[in-house]
Amino acid sequence: MEGYKMKTIPTFGYEIIRDHLLPSILGKHEEDVLYWAGKEIARKFPLFSMDELPSFFMEAGWGQLVLEKETKDELHYILLSTEELPLNIVQRCFRLEAGFLAEQKQKQLGYLTECYEEKDNDKHVVKFTLKWDLKEKI
């Protein structure tokens, strides 16, 4: 991220906003609002390729993103908690990250793209599935 300097900041402040304040303010609309907020962040911070996603996620403090599988109309990622970036996977809503992923792929590919997330609390990971429709050109 050109122009942004990596800083070490306490995660406590981020967690207060992300895990407590936003759910309280957004209530039942949290998932929808965060998905569209993620899409807006992707528009403000466009990536040149999907290969840049892991470094963006780390720099944003969102966790370690790993490409797990790719097909002709899907991408599968997993989001891992790390020692440096512990994630509150059980409590946190990950629609912000899903919206960001969907918009990045949609902008790069030119087809309507959606992203769905699934928490695996036992493995302490979040699985993201990006799916695009090759009949729905944007």
Side-chain angles (χ1 to χ4, degrees):
M1 308 280 48
E2 192 172 320
Y4 292 91
K5 184 178 176 187
M6 286 294 288
K7 296 178 184 177
T8 303
I9 58 168
T11 58
F12 181 60
Y14 179 73
E15 289 173 358
I16 288 173
I17 293 168
R18 184 72 190 269
D19 298 333
H20 302 285
L21 182 63
L22 283 177
S24 176
I25 292 171
L26 299 174
K28 67 180 184 176
H29 303 291
E30 179 184 15
E31 291 186 6
D32 293 335
V33 172
L34 288 181
Y35 190 80
W36 291 107
K39 290 174 88 56
E40 180 62 23
I41 292 169
R43 290 183 201 106
K44 298 278 186 201
F45 297 91
L47 303 178
F48 292 109
S49 79
M50 298 300 276
D51 294 337
E52 295 179 79
L53 284 170
S55 62
F56 184 93
F57 268 62
M58 288 299 286
E59 289 178 34
W62 291 354
Q64 182 181 359
L65 189 70
V66 177
L67 178 62
E68 192 175 47
K69 182 175 140 186
E70 187 172 354
T71 68
K72 72 177 178 95
D73 62 351
E74 285 186 0
L75 286 173
H76 298 264
Y77 288 96
I78 56 171
L79 183 63
L80 307 166
S81 187
T82 67
E83 193 172 303
E84 302 85 37
L85 292 170
L87 301 176
N88 187 353
I89 289 179
V90 174
Q91 184 177 353
R92 185 173 294 169
C93 170
F94 288 90
R95 297 296 290 159
L96 180 79
E97 293 85 347
F100 181 84
L101 290 167
E103 186 67 18
Q104 289 293 349
K105 186 64 178 176
Q106 183 170 292
K107 285 281 193 197
Q108 292 175 23
L109 190 61
Y111 292 99
L112 182 64
T113 305
E114 294 293 329
C115 183
Y116 308 95
E117 82 283 352
E118 177 187 345
K119 295 179 189 182
D120 186 334
N121 294 332
D122 295 334
K123 293 182 180 173
H124 208 64
V125 300
V126 181
K127 298 176 182 184
F128 293 101
T129 301
L130 280 98
K131 184 147 182 66
W132 50 92
D133 187 346
L134 296 172
K135 296 175 190 157
E136 288 287 330
K137 195 143 178 74
I138 299 290

